[in-house]
Amino acid sequence: MRHDSSPRVRPEGHSAAGTIPEAAGATTGAPAGPARPAGAQPGEGGPSRRARFAATARGAAPSSAVAAAGGLAMAASFPPYDLWPLSVLAVALFSLMLRGRTVRQGAWLGFAFGFPFFLWLLVWLRSVTWIAVVVLSGVEALYLVAMAALMVLAQRLRWAPLWAACLWIAQELVRDRLPFGGFSWGRLAFANTGSPFTPLAALGGAPLLSFAVALSGTLLAACALSGYGVWQRRTRTPRAALPAAGALVLSAAVLCAGLFVPVPTGADAHVRIAVVQGNVQQPGLHFLGRPMKILDNHVQATLKLAADIRAGRAPKPDIVLWPENSSDLDPFSNPAAYDKITQAVQAVGVPVLVGALVDGPDKDHVQNEGIVWDPVTGPGAHYTKQHPVPFGEYVPFRKELTKVVSQLNEIPRDFYPGTRTGVLQIGPARLGDVICFEVAYDGIVRDTVNAGARAIVVQTNNATYGRTGQPEQQLAMSRLRAIEHGRAVVTAATSGISAIVAPNGKIEQHSAEFTQQVLDADIPLRDEKTVADRVGAVPEWTLAMVGLLSCAAAVAIGRRDRTGMAKGQ
């Protein structure tokens, strides 16, 4: 890696004339305010701290506004809007905004971009409380603050678009894991589950897909930067335009690369499934309604399915899938709930995957489980959700935080995490159970497939967030996982959106929200593993380390150049 080819080292935050476009009023740095006379104390003969802050804010406002607009554009690239090209353009704009900045300026622009982005993306959390939207958006934006500061360093090197794209992956890697197991919403891959980039997931998973989107965007920024430099020159030659043209061609090549990745869908075996969406009594945080209402809904829908099968109006499935929380009472401690489930399972005559909350190992915990319920032998194998949602399914630092945030008392008991994958033998099929938000986490789904799952079932309950855009965002993740692992993905939701996704990511069927509905389909059972299954997290860690090493190289080169200048003076 080499430093930019400028004949002299420029002070941090400055650049050679004509290299940075003043995009939409952006400034190359915030003004520091009038200088204080020599020897003057603060408040004596110089501007007050408030005046300096106001001057700084006025100077930074144009660039901050452009960064915020880029963040909002990024949010619009995700479902339910699905304007995926905006993800590339937003990355390009963000990269342009960081050119020639100081590390501190870059960090601020990272927040100006990230906070509006997450605020719009996570607006569905308003169903819980607007405080959750604002606080989580602020926390998530801090990851982009760190990324932007590092991108300022990496952009001083040659091949800057590559290093900047690697830093996007470093940011996503950390955000996916820390704190409390991380929060994956807002990854570039999740905005591109139906774009030309998407098949790349079969090679390197969601991280490679995110990298391709980021690289295409940073190359587009390099094209704009070079083109602006050529336009500023008095003498314009075809040769001078080559860097801009080259960056544009490379950006387009990355965009189209996924079109050449095969996505196999063939299978030797199939299984007939029925997905029961029983619906809930009401949307929102208190979706449960009266006790046993949700269970009754799923029992009645299954009994109707059984009647339709007997009358020849519907084909008999091999297995039936119920969603997360389809039993709103623990069937093992509530005999009435146990009997109702058994009645429905025996009526349909095939194994049913039931979602239920059951008592945990102690009185302070519950477990979120998918239970295989056989018409003859009753409940058998089960899967316990491995990744409970912090502040949604358990409360970290409960004793301290509930004193400050009373809403956390809405979670009376913490969820106890499972310790093994969700591979379950359900009738003739070996399926991988993934519960709700777990579909957002690469390792959980990948481990389930590598453990032998021939298709994936996502049991979910999105009733709290119905008609907010969250169910569409989660369904997009199911599409990505289908291509990434070459498996059919079936989403079973209490109130929608339930869906059947083919191994190529195509949504073959889906339900409407807040309706009682049954989907039936013949899905393929596949054993072949994708390259992404085999390489696991290696691409993600490799790209992240390359990004961080580029920053270390930029710092080392900067120190060397400053030392050389000092010796030459």
Side-chain angles (χ1 to χ4, degrees):
M1 292 181 289
R2 295 175 55 190
H3 196 275
D4 281 331
S5 57
S6 174
R8 60 188 179 88
V9 176
R10 297 185 292 271
E12 185 177 321
H14 294 74
S15 62
T19 61
I20 301 177
E22 296 290 328
T27 60
T28 57
R36 184 186 306 139
Q41 297 300 315
E44 298 179 7
S48 66
R49 180 177 297 178
R50 180 179 297 179
R52 292 198 303 272
F53 178 81
T56 301
R58 285 194 299 271
S63 55
S64 301
V66 175
L72 293 175
M74 178 73 84
S77 69
F78 286 79
Y81 311 101
D82 285 318
L83 303 174
W84 67 262
L86 290 180
S87 62
V88 180
L89 296 177
V91 170
L93 177 61
F94 189 56
S95 184
L96 281 173
M97 296 295 299
L98 295 177
R99 291 294 295 185
R101 305 286 177 176
T102 65
V103 170
R104 182 178 298 180
Q105 290 166 351
W108 165 250
L109 290 175
F111 186 81
F113 178 94
F115 184 68
F117 164 52
F118 285 110
L119 198 66
W120 192 5
L121 181 73
L122 305 178
V123 71
W124 44 266
L125 270 172
R126 71 184 186 274
S127 300
V128 179
T129 170
W130 273 102
I131 295 175
V133 180
V134 174
V135 171
L136 184 57
S137 298
V139 171
E140 294 298 297
L142 295 179
Y143 295 89
L144 271 69
V145 168
M147 180 190 74
L150 294 176
M151 284 177 67
V152 168
L153 298 174
Q155 287 189 346
R156 298 171 187 169
L157 300 171
R158 286 191 175 183
W159 309 307
L162 176 61
W163 318 133
C166 288
L167 286 171
W168 275 95
I169 307 309
Q171 171 261 135
E172 291 188 355
L173 183 151
V174 176
R175 194 161 59 81
D176 190 39
R177 292 165 172 83
L178 298 173
F180 310 122
F183 185 69
S184 290
W185 247 254
R187 297 169 72 183
L188 292 175
F190 296 153
N192 286 269
T193 59
S195 76
F197 293 106
T198 312
L200 292 170
L203 299 180
L208 182 62
L209 177 51
S210 285
F211 172 73
V213 176
L215 182 59
S216 184
T218 55
L219 285 168
L220 201 60
C223 170
L225 207 62
S226 297
Y228 182 80
V230 172
W231 179 79
Q232 277 196 322
R233 296 175 187 173
R234 293 182 179 179
T235 304
R236 300 168 191 165
T237 63
R239 184 175 181 179
L242 285 178
L248 182 61
V249 169
L250 286 174
S251 177
V254 174
L255 169 64
C256 296
L259 300 177
F260 299 94
V261 177
V263 181
T265 59
D268 296 328
H270 291 74
V271 65
R272 191 83 194 177
I273 64 163
V275 181
V276 175
Q277 178 177 301
N279 204 9
V280 299
Q281 186 166 344
Q282 59 196 12
L285 187 60
H286 303 287
F287 64 88
L288 286 172
R290 64 174 175 79
M292 213 174 286
K293 173 63 177 176
I294 294 178
L295 176 57
D296 281 340
N297 288 350
H298 287 83
V299 168
Q300 294 305 316
T302 304
L303 292 176
K304 183 178 183 302
L305 171 63
D308 288 342
I309 293 170
R310 289 193 297 270
R313 293 188 295 268
K316 184 175 182 178
D318 298 309
I319 58 177
V320 173
L321 304 173
W322 284 11
E324 177 189 27
N325 301 150
S326 48
S327 176
D328 47 1
L329 296 173
D330 181 356
F332 301 112
S333 61
N334 188 300
Y338 187 102
D339 292 343
K340 283 179 176 289
I341 296 172
T342 300
Q343 176 192 10
V345 174
Q346 290 179 347
V348 78
V350 298
V352 177
L353 180 63
V354 177
L357 295 183
V358 304
D359 291 335
D362 55 57
K363 63 183 180 61
D364 296 323
H365 290 88
V366 294
Q367 295 179 168
N368 192 349
E369 292 191 347
I371 307 164
V372 180
W373 211 289
D374 188 86
V376 177
T377 59
H382 66 274
Y383 166 66
T384 303
K385 186 177 183 180
Q386 302 174 69
H387 196 310
V389 180
F391 305 103
E393 295 175 327
Y394 76 97
V395 181
F397 312 112
R398 174 182 286 273
K399 184 177 179 180
E400 295 78 14
L401 290 179
T402 49
K403 295 177 181 178
V404 181
V405 185
S406 60
Q407 290 95 329
L408 294 176
N409 289 311
E410 296 276 353
I411 309 167
R413 291 195 290 174
D414 291 335
F415 283 37
Y416 196 84
T419 57
R420 59 181 179 82
T421 65
V423 178
L424 300 170
Q425 186 71 37
I426 309 175
R430 191 169 64 252
L431 305 181
D433 190 16
V434 174
I435 297 180
C436 201
F437 279 24
E438 289 184 327
V439 73
Y441 296 92
D442 300 345
I444 290 176
V445 184
R446 181 174 59 243
D447 290 347
T448 301
V449 171
N450 283 334
R454 307 184 74 190
I456 300 169
V457 178
V458 181
Q459 290 183 291
T460 188
N461 173 20
N462 294 324
T464 299
Y465 311 112
R467 301 192 182 105
T468 65
Q470 188 271 352
E472 289 90 344
Q473 292 176 6
Q474 191 171 323
L475 180 57
M477 297 175 191
S478 293
R479 294 186 65 189
L480 173 65
R481 300 309 180 193
I483 294 174
E484 182 177 3
H485 303 292
R487 297 291 189 272
V489 177
V490 180
T491 298
T494 50
S495 58
I497 303 171
S498 300
I500 312 293
V501 183
N504 63 0
K506 180 183 177 182
I507 299 176
E508 296 187 333
Q509 296 182 49
H510 68 86
S511 67
E513 289 190 78
F514 297 107
T515 60
Q516 187 173 103
Q517 195 168 344
V518 175
L519 305 180
D520 66 272
D522 193 56
I523 64 169
L525 301 176
R526 304 189 73 250
D527 295 307
E528 181 183 353
K529 293 182 180 179
T530 64
V531 175
D533 292 325
R534 292 184 170 89
V535 300
V538 171
E540 182 180 26
W541 283 97
T542 301
L543 292 168
M545 290 304 299
V546 168
L548 295 176
L549 288 174
S550 71
C551 295
V555 171
I557 292 172
R559 288 178 177 174
R560 182 197 65 188
D561 290 349
R562 286 192 295 272
T563 301
M565 288 180 63
K567 289 181 179 179
Q569 288 177 349

